[in-house]
Amino acid sequence: MKYESQRIAWLFFATSMALFSLQIVYGFIMGFAHMGFDVLHDVIPFHVARTTHLNLLVVWLLCGFMGAAYYIVPEEVEREILWPRIAKLQWASLVAVGLVAIIGFHFQWFEGRKFLEIPRELDWLVVVNVVTFIVNIGGTMLKGRRLTTTSCVLFFGLLMSALLYLPGMIDTDHQTHDSYWRWWVVHLWVEGVWELIMGGIMAFLLIKLTGIDREVIEKWLYVIVGVTFLSGILGTGHHYYYIGAPRYWLMIGGAFSALEPLAFLGMAIYAITMARKGGRKHPNRDALGWTIGCSIMSFVGAGFLGFAHTLPSVNMYTHGTLVTAMHGHMAFWGAYAMLVLGVISYALPQLTGRKVHDGALASFAFWCSNIGMVAMTVAFAIAGIAQVYLERRMGMDFLAVQEEIEVHFIGLVLAATVFALGVGAYVVNFVRAGKPVGEVAQGADRSTADAAEARRVLGTEAQA
Amino acid sequence: MLSKKGARAFFVIGTGLCFGAFVLLTFDTFNRIPAQTNQAAMDESVIRGKHLWDTSNCMGCHTLLGEGAYYAPELTKVYERRGPAFIEAMLRDPESMYPGKRRMQNYGFDDRQIGDLVAFLQWIGTMDLNGFPAEPDLGAVAVPAAASGSSPLAATGNRPQVFNQMCIACHSLDGQGGVVGPALDGVGGRFDRPYIERWLHDPTEVKADSKMPKLPLSENQITELGAFLSQLRPAAAGTSTETAR
Ligand code: HEM
Ligand SMILES: [Fe+2]
């Protein structure tokens, strides 16, 4: 760590950890409901649990991305965060809005559009919050000593995510319009601009962890995000097949989305090659594990399992079944959850000054969570494929099929238990590392007014 | 070898072209949506129903147009499948419908709200969805008993419509239908016609602790159902009850 204000990242990372843990709790509520034990129905009915589960996911990932930006950008552009006080306020207000939203869900205050359930009033607060964040990061970059491709790609990803939130707020009376704009947010996020964020963070981690030449890494970064947009933008069409949009989307969406796995494949090959070439100099093997793991699991979850149901002829039968849940879990885990856990693994030892990354608990967390997630995906796949055949292809009644596949949810809950143990170990490690009181690196310039301001805001003056 | 500058140019140009195409297609799509989705039929009631659908977060359990959650039935074609009376009953008192099964939220809707939601679901059912949801194409394998017709649906054509909409939600006949109540194969052998008609007027009057709810049926429908059910005789092994009568 080279700059005092990088410590702001810890607040975001800690929030991520808390919300992620809570997300898993809601996952279990739904797993049990699918098994036939919907015991909490009167307090937390299924739709409340599902909405909370999904929105916690989005918020903790965004928190992770923001933390990553506050950590990475100072180091890349070589200066303190422009306004540390505002950064801290932005964190506090994000937590406040998040809590109000989550509590609101339990009183059935929501908009009811999958992934965008936050009510309109809170949407505006989110916009203000994110604009503050973007301006702070952008300002830091403008005033920085250098502008790197890595930080620009990361910034562009964050900026576009903010802008793409707006189509989701367009008011409409028409179900098809509603759906059309909703995918501008959801699809163009996960299969577009979030991949920029992923590319930027991954490039930073690879540069730090493998010591490989920046020029080489950044060149391939352009190629990969180029392929992402080439396939991903028109690939949005794979959500427009059956919602009342014209038939030509079957062809356009099918063809372009079928190319999307290439970007993920590219990312995996790139990460593995760089790690090999770089000779693995860095002692933080745990962070490298998450980084490489992320590139591989995102290819499996997003690329391979996405492709499995993206062709219109397949999607006709899998659309709206548990097959989608199978893909969604592995894709989000592989691409974005592992990415955030990777940044945290890299940054935490530096932020806190405790070497938590090479203990047995860290590898337990890595393997347990990944094995658990693969097993969960298999359970979803079996349930989903059974549902497709029984309900969609043979015409059995919906509820009869659900009773038929209840047994696979026992498997799911068992797998989820393994997964939760792994994540639990990760969180324990995080807590054990303690507060962000780590030393700023030798030779870094800590005497500036900016550094003093950051220390004052973050209450780390004692160490100065 | 590709230079960093070349790589950047590839990124910028590729992204620009694709985004431009996407924006143009978006305009075209919005021009075509009205015809494709029967927008002319979207009246005030449908629009109120749509907003009610959103604020109630029905998508948190159900799918509509294949989008949403996978806990409760897909509702795109529910109007055609169950008919308005059944949907109204479901929204008025979800607890008594589908007894002992997964539970739906009881929203306590008033009559107007129920009417709006039904209008919304009816409108959704009239959209052209490029073939979604597909007809089950392996059905004939699953229901060998219905071998009399080429598809299982062909064999159900001679049933009263209300039977195929409402009763099939909870009961099966010829291996097809719901699992909430007992199968109705051969029910005419178990009960006579007056008993069945009394049952359909109000099951709880016949059997106080009956789990079958009192359904919104007209006198005509009850007569029709009574005639249909009372002639469903227990079949000889291997033949369909309907073909055996
Ligand atoms: C990291 C990247 C990705 C993530 C996080 C992700 C996540 C998701 C999620 C959560 C859904 C369910 C959305 C909903 O029901 O509202 C979904 C749907 C879908 N995804 Fe992905 N996905 C990713 C990449 C991909 C890729 C690369 C492909 C194609 C090759 C793909 C193909 C699909 C398809 C076809 C659906 C629609 C399923 C349906 O509703 O019929 N996804 N994705
Ligand atoms: Fe997508």
Side-chain angles (χ1 to χ4, degrees), chain B residues 6 33 45 59 68 76 78 82 84-85 95 98 122 125-126 138 147 159-160 164 166 173 195 199 204 221 237 244:
Chain B
I33 283 175
S45 172
M59 231 196 211
T76 307
V78 71
R82 301 287 188 233
E95 323 263 76
Y98 294 102
Q122 179 181 17
T126 63
L138 300 179
R159 299 173 182 176
N164 277 339
M166 279 197 201
L173 182 62
Y195 177 93
W199 177 263
T204 46
Q221 286 171 326

Side-chain angles (χ1 to χ4, degrees), chain B residues 111-177:
Chain B
D111 287 347
R112 179 177 132 135
Q113 289 173 317
I114 291 176
D116 293 343
L117 278 167
V118 172
F120 171 66
L121 291 170
Q122 179 181 17
W123 167 67
I124 288 280
T126 63
M127 285 185 174
D128 171 3
L129 300 176
N130 300 331
F132 180 83
E135 283 294 328
D137 57 343
L138 300 179
V141 181
V143 195
S148 49
S150 55
S151 104
L153 293 173
T156 62
N158 51 358
R159 299 173 182 176
Q161 194 200 7
V162 61
F163 184 87
N164 277 339
Q165 286 187 330
M166 279 197 201
C167 316
I168 215 75
C170 297
H171 295 282
S172 69
L173 182 62
D174 279 341
Q176 265 209 317

Side-chain angles (χ1 to χ4, degrees), chain A residues 153-213:
Chain A
V153 168
L154 176 61
F155 179 74
F156 187 59
L158 293 165
L159 176 68
M160 289 308 293
S161 306
L163 290 180
L164 282 171
Y165 194 67
L166 300 177
M169 292 168 63
I170 294 173
D171 261 320
T172 162
D173 294 334
H174 195 301
Q175 190 65 25
T176 303
H177 293 182
D178 196 326
S179 204
Y180 194 91
W181 294 123
R182 197 169 64 84
W183 291 114
W184 274 51
V185 190
V186 181
H187 172 96
L188 290 179
W189 267 10
V190 301
E191 286 157 73
V193 296
W194 281 22
E195 283 181 59
L196 292 190
I197 299 177
M198 178 177 172
I201 294 180
M202 208 172 251
F204 172 81
L205 290 173
L206 288 173
I207 289 170
K208 294 287 164 181
L209 293 169
T210 69
I212 201 144
D213 180 34

Side-chain angles (χ1 to χ4, degrees), chain A residues 174-415:
Chain A
H174 195 301
Q175 190 65 25
T176 303
H177 293 182
D178 196 326
S179 204
Y180 194 91
W181 294 123
R182 197 169 64 84
W183 291 114
W184 274 51
V185 190
V186 181
H187 172 96
L188 290 179
W189 267 10
V190 301
E191 286 157 73
V193 296
W194 281 22
E195 283 181 59
L196 292 190
I197 299 177
M198 178 177 172
I201 294 180
M202 208 172 251
F204 172 81
L205 290 173
L206 288 173
I207 289 170
K208 294 287 164 181
L209 293 169
T210 69
I212 201 144
D213 180 34
R214 182 181 283 276
E215 282 295 303
V216 179
I217 287 213
E218 292 182 343
K219 177 174 85 186
W220 288 110
L221 188 56
Y222 273 127
V223 175
I224 289 172
V225 296
V227 175
T228 298
F229 281 152
L230 214 55
S231 58
I233 295 178
L234 289 171
T236 315
H238 65 188
H239 302 288
Y240 298 161
Y241 296 159
Y242 308 122
I243 62 165
R247 186 170 273 277
Y248 55 65
W249 284 114
L250 269 66
M251 246 172 61
I252 298 173
F256 281 88
S257 70
L259 297 175
E260 282 180 42
L262 287 180
F264 288 96
L265 184 64
M267 194 87 81
I269 294 174
Y270 152 91
I272 295 170
T273 318
M274 297 301 159
R276 280 236 177 109
K277 275 199 191 155
R280 310 195 180 204
K281 295 192 193 96
H282 202 278
N284 193 338
R285 300 295 297 276
D286 187 40
L288 191 64
W290 284 104
T291 309
I292 304 295
C294 165
S295 73
I296 296 173
M297 293 292 270
S298 66
F299 171 66
V300 178
F304 178 71
L305 294 180
F307 183 80
H309 65 152
T310 202
L311 297 178
S313 53
V314 178
N315 195 256
M316 169 66 89
Y317 292 101
T318 58
H319 184 47
T321 65
L322 288 161
V323 168
T324 311
M326 160 200 80
H327 154 69
H329 279 78
M330 183 88 138
F332 261 116
W333 166 252
Y336 302 119
M338 285 185 79
L339 181 72
V340 169
L341 299 184
V343 192
I344 296 181
S345 290
Y346 172 75
L348 198 60
Q350 324 240 11
L351 288 168
T352 63
R354 307 251 319 247
K355 303 236 172 309
V356 282
H357 50 70
D358 42 24
L361 200 59
S363 20
F364 176 82
F366 179 86
W367 288 109
C368 226
S369 57
N370 274 294
I371 291 171
M373 180 49 79
V374 170
M376 279 171 67
T377 306
V378 172
F380 270 126
I382 298 174
I385 293 168
Q387 184 189 6
V388 166
Y389 274 85
L390 295 176
E391 183 192 330
R392 296 297 179 82
R393 302 206 59 186
M394 309 203 319
M396 239 170 105
D397 176 76
F398 177 90
L399 283 174
V401 173
Q402 293 296 310
E403 283 177 17
E404 204 67 44
I405 63 180
E406 253 169 28
V407 54
H408 303 305
F409 279 87
I410 300 178
L412 180 82
V413 167
L414 287 177

